[in-house]
Amino acid sequence: MPAILNYLIHLILAAGLLIVFFIIYTRVTPYDEVLLIRQGNHAAALSLGGALLGFSATIASSLMHTADYQQFFAWAFGAMVVQLLVYLVTTRLLRMSKDQIESNNSAFGGLLGAISLSIGAINAACIS
């Protein structure tokens, strides 16, 4: 396969997975991140930004450590499931997350973002 075609397949798959993650993540959360961010809510931006960066780390690791696009997709999809499960467990343990994000508690949003980044980094390392 020509290198440019291989590149395009991986790029399209990675972008598609990131979009799918964004859609699922924003539907799983009990608040509307996009609306809150448009209203200037820093907590929602920190939480969502951390989740996207954490998942992007797993995508990058999957791209670097797999031989072909099928293997890449499988690892990245598995990492997406882990990332979403960790969010669900975390918010169940920290029951007040909806109220904290909606009231623009930046410290809480930063905590959720940091947890997502941490899991993303661990997830990425496990793929390597």
Side-chain angles (χ1 to χ4, degrees):
M1 173 181 320
I4 188 69
L5 183 57
N6 190 40
Y7 166 79
L8 290 173
I9 289 171
H10 282 87
L11 180 65
I12 291 167
L13 275 176
L17 283 165
L18 191 59
I19 290 167
V20 168
F21 176 79
F22 177 85
I23 291 168
I24 293 171
Y25 184 88
T26 55
R27 291 202 176 147
V28 167
T29 58
Y31 39 84
D32 186 345
E33 283 94 344
V34 176
L35 176 64
L36 290 172
I37 292 167
R38 285 183 181 148
Q39 294 171 347
N41 186 307
H42 297 143
L46 290 168
S47 179
L48 180 58
L52 290 170
L53 289 170
F55 182 61
S56 293
T58 63
I59 288 178
S61 181
S62 297
L63 285 167
M64 291 172 46
H65 296 102
T66 55
D68 56 40
Y69 65 90
Q70 293 102 343
Q71 206 177 30
F72 156 69
F73 181 81
W75 280 111
F77 184 80
M80 180 189 315
V81 171
V82 169
Q83 200 82 14
L84 290 167
L85 285 174
V86 167
Y87 170 79
L88 291 172
V89 169
T90 300
T91 55
R92 296 302 177 260
L93 293 172
L94 303 171
R95 298 172 195 256
M96 70 290 213
S97 60
K98 181 180 188 302
D99 296 334
Q100 295 297 314
I101 296 296
E102 288 178 341
S103 67
N104 199 16
N105 182 339
S106 294
F108 195 85
L111 173 64
L112 287 180
I115 290 169
S116 292
L117 279 169
S118 300
I119 293 305
I122 291 169
N123 228 350
C126 289
I127 294 170
S128 62

